[in-house]
Amino acid sequence: MRPETVQQLRVIDSHTGGEPTRVLIDGVPDLEGATMQEKRAAFARDYDWMRSAVISEPRGYDAIVGALLTEPESTESVAGVIFFNNVGCLNGCLHGTIGVAVTLYHLGRIGKGIHRIDTPTGTVSVEVGEAGQVTVQNVRSYCYRSGVEVALDGGCLVTGDIAWGGNWFFLVDSPEDLKIELRNVEALTRHAWSIREALGKAGITGEAGGEIDHIELFGPPSKEDADSKNFVLCPGREYDRSPCGTGTSAKLACLHAKGLLSEGETWRQAGILDTVFSGTVESAPEGGVYPTVSGSAFITSEATLRIDPAEPFAFGIGADR
Ligand code: PYC
C-alpha cells in the first residue's frame, strides 16, 4: 500500500563499469519472510511504490538497478540484498553486487577481504580489494540448452544458447552488420528485443519455465584487453552499460560446457562501453560451474530521496496511480 506521509530514503549511487546501482541504506522496510525469496516476494507485493519511486523519473532513470539491503538469511552473511529495476525485481545482479560491496566498504560496514551476501538466487561471496575492485563468486551457473533456433518476425532464424548465470540468458552472436558499438544502441536494442519477443512467442524458456528476460549479443572486442564484447538487453528494455556480471557468468558456463574454457583460465568480457569484467570458473559437482567475476565500482553520489504522496510524480512518472 502506498504511504500517506512523506517518506525519506537515504541512497548511495555508484557505477560498475558504467552501469548504475542505487543502494537503499536507510528508511527501508523490515520485510516479512525468513528466506531472501520470501523477502523479495514481500517487497514486490507491498513496496512496488518504493521500487518505482526510486528507479523512475524524476528521481531516477530507467537504467538504474536498485539494491535494497535486508537482514541476511544466514548469520554468516553480512547482508541480504534484493535487486530491482524499472519493471520489477531481478533474480541476481553482479554489477549490482560489486556496487553493494563498494557501498558497504564506503560506509565502513565491511573492510577489505571476503564477505558473504545473501540474495534470492543464493549466497554469493565478495572479495573487496583496492580502489573499488571487487571479485564475486557467483551462484552455480550452467548452460541449459545449446544451439536453440528461434525464428524472428520476418522469418530470420537465429541460433543461440540458453544459460543461467543468476538470471536466464539467451546468448547469441550479433549479426555481422550490427557491430557492438554505442552508436548502434538503438538497432542493437531492437534486434535483442525481437529475439526476446520471439522466444516468448515460441514458448522457449529456461529450466522449469524460467522466463528468458536477458538477451546477450556477442561480437569481437574493440580492444586488446578483452576476449569478446557483449550487448546485454535487460528485462525493462534498457541495455546494461557494463559487461553484465550474471551475463558473464552465463557466458563462462557455456564456454566451459563447450570445452572452450578450463578451470584456472581467465576470460575477459567487455561490455558496450569497453569496460571489462574478468572471469574464471570452478567446475560444480552437480554440473555447470561456480563463476568468479571481477570488476570495479565507484561511488557517484549520496542523497536522501524525498517522496511526498501529495506531489504529482511521487511514485515515479509512469507509475500507475
Ligand atoms: O551485472 O548481473 C548484472 C546485471 C544484471 C542486470 C543488470 N546488470
Side-chain angles (χ1 to χ4, degrees):
M1 218 182 28
R2 287 178 174 173
E4 287 173 1
T5 55
V6 173
Q7 306 291 305
Q8 312 240 44
L9 290 174
R10 204 149 78 83
V11 300
I12 296 194
D13 288 352
S14 60
H15 78 81
T16 310
E19 176 76 350
T21 307
R22 175 166 281 178
V23 184
L24 276 55
I25 57 168
D26 248 336
V28 298
D30 208 7
L31 295 171
E32 258 176 42
T35 68
M36 291 309 299
Q37 291 196 356
E38 287 166 357
K39 287 182 202 289
R40 179 179 57 180
F43 181 68
R45 185 189 61 228
D46 301 333
Y47 292 95
D48 201 56
W49 62 266
M50 185 179 284
R51 179 196 62 74
S52 61
V54 166
I55 300 294
S56 309
E57 295 178 30
R59 291 170 195 77
Y61 55 99
D62 277 350
I64 296 180
V65 170
L68 178 86
L69 297 177
T70 72
E71 284 299 312
E73 192 177 316
S74 137
T75 51
E76 283 151 35
S77 298
V78 290
V81 62
I82 294 163
F83 293 107
F84 52 95
N85 67 6
N86 56 337
V87 289
C89 288
L90 285 160
N91 289 307
C93 181
L94 289 205
H95 95 269
T97 303
I98 294 171
V100 166
V102 165
T103 299
L104 293 176
Y105 178 74
H106 174 76
L107 291 169
R109 294 192 190 171
I110 59 173
K112 291 201 176 119
I114 300 179
H115 309 278
R116 289 161 50 106
I117 295 180
D118 295 335
T119 82
T121 58
T123 299
V124 300
S125 79
V126 293
E127 180 164 11
V128 180
E130 297 296 329
Q133 170 85 18
V134 176
T135 296
V136 187
Q137 186 172 54
N138 195 10
V139 297
R140 186 174 77 89
S141 301
Y142 58 99
C143 183
Y144 171 56
R145 287 177 64 195
S146 132
V148 178
E149 279 193 346
V150 58
L152 308 187
D153 257 2
C156 165
L157 264 191
V158 296
T159 307
D161 299 335
I162 299 172
W164 174 255
N167 289 299
W168 281 110
F169 287 84
F170 190 75
L171 301 91
V172 59
D173 285 341
S174 190
E176 289 244 320
D177 59 352
L178 186 51
K179 297 263 173 289
I180 299 187
E181 303 288 352
L182 206 46
R183 66 191 156 90
N184 292 335
V185 152
E186 281 174 26
L188 288 161
T189 300
R190 276 197 304 275
H191 181 61
W193 194 253
S194 72
I195 296 175
R196 172 147 182 213
E197 286 188 327
L199 289 167
K201 270 194 205 151
I204 298 172
T205 67
E207 197 170 12
E211 185 184 3
I212 302 170
D213 56 6
H214 289 73
I215 308 297
E216 187 165 6
L217 308 178
F218 291 93
S222 318
K223 297 189 181 169
E224 281 180 4
D225 64 352
D227 298 303
S228 158
K229 185 164 176 176
N230 71 12
F231 170 86
V232 177
L233 196 66
C234 297
R237 213 172 187 274
E238 268 302 321
Y239 69 95
D240 195 329
R241 277 69 172 156
S242 81
C244 189
T246 49
T248 298
S249 300
K251 176 69 175 175
L252 295 172
C254 291
L255 288 166
H256 184 261
K258 292 173 184 174
L260 299 173
L261 185 75
S262 328
E263 285 186 302
E265 259 185 278
T266 299
W267 180 260
R268 299 160 311 161
Q269 184 63 59
I272 184 138
L273 302 183
D274 289 317
T275 53
V276 176
F277 285 168
S278 58
T280 57
V281 295
E282 199 181 294
S283 306
E286 323 84 295
V289 296
Y290 286 103
T292 295
V293 175
S294 302
S296 301
F298 305 91
I299 303 291
T300 53
S301 75
E302 304 188 42
T304 301
L305 305 184
R306 187 171 185 281
I307 303 169
D308 178 353
E311 178 257 287
F313 300 114
F315 304 109
I317 294 174
D320 173 27
R321 292 182 64 86

Short mmCIF file of all heavy atoms in Angstrom, two decimals, residues 229-255:
data_model
loop_
_atom_site.label_atom_id
_atom_site.label_comp_id
_atom_site.label_asym_id
_atom_site.label_seq_id
_atom_site.Cartn_x
_atom_site.Cartn_y
_atom_site.Cartn_z
N LYS A 229 33.15 -8.96 -26.80
CA LYS A 229 32.40 -7.77 -26.40
C LYS A 229 30.91 -8.13 -26.42
O LYS A 229 30.48 -8.85 -27.34
CB LYS A 229 32.70 -6.65 -27.39
CG LYS A 229 32.10 -5.30 -27.05
CD LYS A 229 32.77 -4.21 -27.86
CE LYS A 229 32.12 -2.87 -27.61
NZ LYS A 229 32.80 -1.79 -28.32
N ASN A 230 30.16 -7.65 -25.45
CA ASN A 230 28.73 -8.02 -25.45
C ASN A 230 27.84 -6.79 -25.39
O ASN A 230 28.26 -5.67 -25.10
CB ASN A 230 28.41 -9.01 -24.32
CG ASN A 230 28.47 -8.41 -22.93
OD1 ASN A 230 28.53 -7.20 -22.76
ND2 ASN A 230 28.45 -9.25 -21.91
N PHE A 231 26.58 -7.06 -25.70
CA PHE A 231 25.49 -6.09 -25.52
C PHE A 231 24.40 -6.88 -24.82
O PHE A 231 23.95 -7.91 -25.33
CB PHE A 231 24.99 -5.59 -26.89
CG PHE A 231 23.73 -4.78 -26.78
CD1 PHE A 231 23.79 -3.42 -26.52
CD2 PHE A 231 22.48 -5.39 -26.92
CE1 PHE A 231 22.62 -2.67 -26.39
CE2 PHE A 231 21.31 -4.64 -26.80
CZ PHE A 231 21.38 -3.28 -26.54
N VAL A 232 24.01 -6.42 -23.64
CA VAL A 232 23.01 -7.17 -22.87
C VAL A 232 21.75 -6.32 -22.73
O VAL A 232 21.82 -5.18 -22.24
CB VAL A 232 23.56 -7.55 -21.48
CG1 VAL A 232 22.50 -8.26 -20.65
CG2 VAL A 232 24.79 -8.43 -21.63
N LEU A 233 20.64 -6.89 -23.17
CA LEU A 233 19.36 -6.19 -23.01
C LEU A 233 18.65 -6.75 -21.78
O LEU A 233 18.44 -7.96 -21.66
CB LEU A 233 18.49 -6.33 -24.25
CG LEU A 233 17.34 -5.32 -24.27
CD1 LEU A 233 17.86 -3.88 -24.39
CD2 LEU A 233 16.37 -5.60 -25.40
N CYS A 234 18.33 -5.85 -20.87
CA CYS A 234 17.74 -6.23 -19.57
C CYS A 234 16.21 -6.29 -19.69
O CYS A 234 15.64 -5.84 -20.69
CB CYS A 234 18.18 -5.21 -18.53
SG CYS A 234 19.97 -5.21 -18.28
N PRO A 235 15.52 -6.82 -18.65
CA PRO A 235 14.07 -7.05 -18.76
C PRO A 235 13.25 -5.81 -19.10
O PRO A 235 12.24 -5.92 -19.78
CB PRO A 235 13.70 -7.58 -17.38
CG PRO A 235 14.96 -8.12 -16.81
CD PRO A 235 16.09 -7.34 -17.41
N GLY A 236 13.66 -4.63 -18.65
CA GLY A 236 12.86 -3.42 -18.90
C GLY A 236 13.26 -2.69 -20.16
O GLY A 236 13.01 -1.50 -20.30
N ARG A 237 13.91 -3.39 -21.12
CA ARG A 237 14.33 -2.87 -22.43
C ARG A 237 15.45 -1.82 -22.30
O ARG A 237 15.66 -1.02 -23.19
CB ARG A 237 13.13 -2.27 -23.20
CG ARG A 237 13.24 -2.44 -24.72
CD ARG A 237 11.96 -2.03 -25.42
NE ARG A 237 12.00 -2.33 -26.85
CZ ARG A 237 12.51 -1.53 -27.77
NH1 ARG A 237 13.04 -0.38 -27.45
NH2 ARG A 237 12.50 -1.89 -29.05
N GLU A 238 16.13 -1.83 -21.17
CA GLU A 238 17.31 -0.99 -21.01
C GLU A 238 18.53 -1.86 -21.24
O GLU A 238 18.52 -3.04 -20.88
CB GLU A 238 17.36 -0.42 -19.58
CG GLU A 238 16.70 0.91 -19.44
CD GLU A 238 17.30 1.98 -20.34
OE1 GLU A 238 18.53 2.01 -20.52
OE2 GLU A 238 16.53 2.80 -20.87
N TYR A 239 19.59 -1.28 -21.79
CA TYR A 239 20.78 -2.10 -22.00
C TYR A 239 21.74 -1.92 -20.83
O TYR A 239 21.77 -0.87 -20.19
CB TYR A 239 21.46 -1.75 -23.33
CG TYR A 239 22.12 -0.38 -23.37
CD1 TYR A 239 23.47 -0.24 -23.11
CD2 TYR A 239 21.38 0.76 -23.65
CE1 TYR A 239 24.07 1.01 -23.14
CE2 TYR A 239 21.98 2.01 -23.69
CZ TYR A 239 23.32 2.13 -23.42
OH TYR A 239 23.92 3.35 -23.45
N ASP A 240 22.47 -2.98 -20.55
CA ASP A 240 23.46 -2.93 -19.47
C ASP A 240 24.68 -2.17 -19.96
O ASP A 240 25.27 -2.52 -20.98
CB ASP A 240 23.82 -4.37 -19.07
CG ASP A 240 24.54 -4.43 -17.74
OD1 ASP A 240 25.26 -3.47 -17.41
OD2 ASP A 240 24.38 -5.44 -17.04
N ARG A 241 25.04 -1.13 -19.24
CA ARG A 241 26.24 -0.35 -19.61
C ARG A 241 27.51 -1.13 -19.30
O ARG A 241 28.58 -0.83 -19.84
CB ARG A 241 26.27 0.98 -18.83
CG ARG A 241 25.44 2.11 -19.43
CD ARG A 241 23.97 1.90 -19.35
NE ARG A 241 23.19 3.07 -19.75
CZ ARG A 241 21.95 3.03 -20.19
NH1 ARG A 241 21.30 1.87 -20.30
NH2 ARG A 241 21.31 4.13 -20.51
N SER A 242 27.45 -2.07 -18.38
CA SER A 242 28.62 -2.88 -18.01
C SER A 242 28.59 -4.18 -18.82
O SER A 242 27.64 -4.43 -19.56
CB SER A 242 28.56 -3.20 -16.50
OG SER A 242 27.69 -4.30 -16.26
N PRO A 243 29.61 -5.04 -18.65
CA PRO A 243 29.56 -6.34 -19.36
C PRO A 243 28.55 -7.31 -18.74
O PRO A 243 28.45 -8.45 -19.21
CB PRO A 243 30.99 -6.87 -19.21
CG PRO A 243 31.82 -5.69 -18.80
CD PRO A 243 30.92 -4.79 -18.02
N CYS A 244 27.82 -6.91 -17.70
CA CYS A 244 26.78 -7.72 -17.05
C CYS A 244 27.40 -8.95 -16.37
O CYS A 244 27.81 -9.90 -17.04
CB CYS A 244 25.70 -8.15 -18.04
SG CYS A 244 24.28 -8.92 -17.21
N GLY A 245 27.41 -8.91 -15.04
CA GLY A 245 28.06 -10.00 -14.30
C GLY A 245 27.34 -11.32 -14.40
O GLY A 245 27.98 -12.38 -14.55
N THR A 246 25.99 -11.29 -14.34
CA THR A 246 25.28 -12.57 -14.47
C THR A 246 25.38 -13.05 -15.92
O THR A 246 25.47 -14.25 -16.18
CB THR A 246 23.81 -12.45 -14.01
OG1 THR A 246 23.21 -11.31 -14.64
CG2 THR A 246 23.69 -12.31 -12.51
N GLY A 247 25.43 -12.10 -16.87
CA GLY A 247 25.61 -12.46 -18.29
C GLY A 247 27.00 -13.03 -18.53
O GLY A 247 27.16 -13.98 -19.31
N THR A 248 28.00 -12.46 -17.87
CA THR A 248 29.36 -13.00 -18.00
C THR A 248 29.40 -14.41 -17.39
O THR A 248 30.03 -15.32 -17.95
CB THR A 248 30.38 -12.06 -17.30
OG1 THR A 248 30.33 -10.80 -17.97
CG2 THR A 248 31.79 -12.60 -17.34
N SER A 249 28.69 -14.61 -16.27
CA SER A 249 28.64 -15.95 -15.66
C SER A 249 28.00 -16.95 -16.61
O SER A 249 28.48 -18.09 -16.75
CB SER A 249 27.81 -15.90 -14.37
OG SER A 249 28.38 -15.01 -13.44
N ALA A 250 26.91 -16.53 -17.28
CA ALA A 250 26.24 -17.42 -18.25
C ALA A 250 27.21 -17.76 -19.39
O ALA A 250 27.30 -18.91 -19.85
CB ALA A 250 24.98 -16.75 -18.78
N LYS A 251 27.96 -16.76 -19.86
CA LYS A 251 28.92 -16.97 -20.94
C LYS A 251 30.01 -17.95 -20.49
O LYS A 251 30.39 -18.88 -21.23
CB LYS A 251 29.55 -15.62 -21.33
CG LYS A 251 30.64 -15.70 -22.38
CD LYS A 251 30.10 -16.07 -23.73
CE LYS A 251 31.17 -16.02 -24.81
NZ LYS A 251 30.65 -16.50 -26.10
N LEU A 252 30.54 -17.76 -19.27
CA LEU A 252 31.59 -18.64 -18.76
C LEU A 252 31.08 -20.08 -18.70
O LEU A 252 31.79 -21.02 -19.06
CB LEU A 252 32.02 -18.19 -17.35
CG LEU A 252 32.69 -16.81 -17.24
CD1 LEU A 252 32.88 -16.42 -15.77
CD2 LEU A 252 34.04 -16.79 -17.95
N ALA A 253 29.81 -20.23 -18.26
CA ALA A 253 29.24 -21.58 -18.16
C ALA A 253 29.15 -22.23 -19.54
O ALA A 253 29.45 -23.42 -19.71
CB ALA A 253 27.86 -21.51 -17.50
N CYS A 254 28.76 -21.44 -20.55
CA CYS A 254 28.63 -22.00 -21.91
C CYS A 254 30.02 -22.34 -22.48
O CYS A 254 30.20 -23.38 -23.12
CB CYS A 254 27.91 -21.02 -22.84
SG CYS A 254 26.18 -20.83 -22.41
N LEU A 255 30.99 -21.45 -22.26
CA LEU A 255 32.35 -21.73 -22.76
C LEU A 255 32.89 -23.02 -22.14
O LEU A 255 33.46 -23.87 -22.81
CB LEU A 255 33.29 -20.56 -22.41
CG LEU A 255 33.10 -19.27 -23.20
CD1 LEU A 255 33.85 -18.12 -22.52
CD2 LEU A 255 33.58 -19.44 -24.65
#
